[in-house]
Amino acid sequence: MKKKVLIILFILILVKKDDLHNNFYRNIKNIVNPNIINVLVNKENKLSKNFIPSELFKLPIDVSYENKFLKKEAAINFIKLSRYAKKKNFYIVAVSTYRDYKYQKKLYEKYVLNKGQTYADLCSARPGHSEHQTGLAVDVMGSNYDYNKFNQTKEFKWMKKNAYKYGFILRYPKNKEYITGFKYEPWHYRYVGKILAKYLYKNNLTLEEFYK
Ligand SMILES: [Zn+2]
């Protein structure tokens, strides 16, 4: 009897996983206004291969790894965030920022090769579908020097409460995978501007829910 229940549960989990996978990358639209601050880039909204954001700005090395670029407005606010955090004894640096189409393609293909497509699609955006191509997304690292384990840091707790004040949102929250199409990413923040960031934070909304 127990075995039967377990088998049914297992099948249900498989179906659910498959659901998540199948509900995305359908009805893909090309993004018309890729340079606006609140642009929606996801599995349904695609950037062109040739799109390079305007006003890319190089982050100084006290707030980031070398040669990392964000769109100017996002960069200025990230610098403010990181430097203010530092004053309060929190170490928050950018480890991945703007990525071009070609680079994203390589990243995604590597994921598929190593983990298979279903899993790759949960963790990595297909080329043209990554927010990193807009220059508005930033992956951060904290005082444990491991962005993958950013959720275990005091910096993560600080970011959860304060990122919106600088115009950033936690883009792929826990338990919203079925909406965003991506697994929980405590390290990935997206600049949307202060007004929208505050609204999304206070109402616990993803960018997808806002646009719906
Ligand atoms: Zn990211």
Side-chain angles (χ1 to χ4, degrees):
M1 191 59 187
K2 249 187 179 173
K3 209 175 167 190
K4 223 176 178 180
V5 173
L6 277 175
I7 290 168
I8 291 168
L9 261 176
F10 184 66
I11 291 168
L12 277 174
I13 289 166
L14 278 182
V15 169
K16 202 158 183 257
K17 247 187 149 180
D18 207 40
D19 240 28
L20 184 62
H21 183 57
N22 286 334
N23 281 333
F24 293 99
Y25 292 119
R26 287 174 171 180
N27 307 317
I28 294 167
K29 295 179 243 20
N30 292 317
I31 294 166
V32 191
N33 240 332
N35 269 308
I36 57 168
I37 287 305
N38 56 358
V39 61
L40 178 66
V41 182
N42 58 17
K43 293 182 173 179
E44 270 63 58
N45 295 281
K46 189 181 185 186
L47 295 162
S48 99
K49 209 177 192 167
N50 304 319
F51 172 67
I52 297 169
S54 60
E55 296 191 294
L56 282 174
F57 185 92
K58 191 173 173 179
L59 291 172
I61 48 157
D62 65 310
V63 307
S64 127
Y65 278 10
E66 262 180 66
N67 284 316
K68 299 295 172 198
F69 292 81
L70 283 177
K71 234 171 135 67
K72 197 171 177 187
E73 189 181 323
I76 288 168
N77 282 289
F78 184 76
I79 294 166
K80 279 186 194 160
L81 178 156
S82 177
R83 287 184 181 161
Y84 180 78
K86 200 175 182 181
K87 274 191 203 158
K88 299 277 166 190
N89 238 343
F90 296 105
Y91 177 72
I92 299 167
V93 296
V95 293
S96 186
T97 51
Y98 166 64
R99 301 199 289 251
D100 66 15
Y101 184 97
K102 243 176 144 178
Y103 186 81
Q104 187 64 32
K105 190 167 183 284
K106 269 192 211 155
L107 259 185
Y108 175 74
E109 283 167 358
K110 203 172 136 192
Y111 244 111
V112 173
L113 212 68
N114 290 331
K115 306 266 184 182
Q117 193 175 15
T118 306
Y119 190 73
D121 275 333
L122 271 178
C123 311
S124 178
R126 295 181 189 177
H129 295 275
S130 171
E131 296 200 306
H132 282 282
Q133 198 187 335
T134 64
L136 295 166
V138 54
D139 296 336
V140 300
M141 185 182 77
S143 50
N144 63 355
Y145 301 100
D146 183 351
Y147 83 93
N148 253 307
K149 292 179 179 155
F150 185 63
N151 60 330
Q152 296 171 10
T153 62
K154 58 177 182 169
E155 284 81 9
F156 176 57
K157 282 190 191 126
W158 187 86
M159 279 296 270
K160 276 213 282 199
K161 281 191 204 143
N162 295 286
Y164 81 90
K165 295 173 188 165
Y166 298 85
F168 289 89
I169 57 161
L170 177 69
R171 182 66 177 85
Y172 306 118
K174 216 176 194 169
N175 303 323
K176 299 246 182 172
E177 292 88 347
Y178 66 102
I179 297 166
T180 64
F182 288 102
K183 74 172 178 59
Y184 176 43
E185 289 193 358
W187 59 85
H188 180 111
Y189 294 85
R190 161 65 197 277
Y191 185 76
V192 292
K194 283 177 198 165
I195 294 168
L196 182 56
K198 188 176 177 184
Y199 178 80
L200 296 175
Y201 175 77
K202 300 281 181 197
N203 293 287
N204 190 28
L205 293 173
T206 60
L207 212 48
E208 278 77 15
E209 292 166 300
F210 172 74
Y211 275 103
K212 263 179 197 165

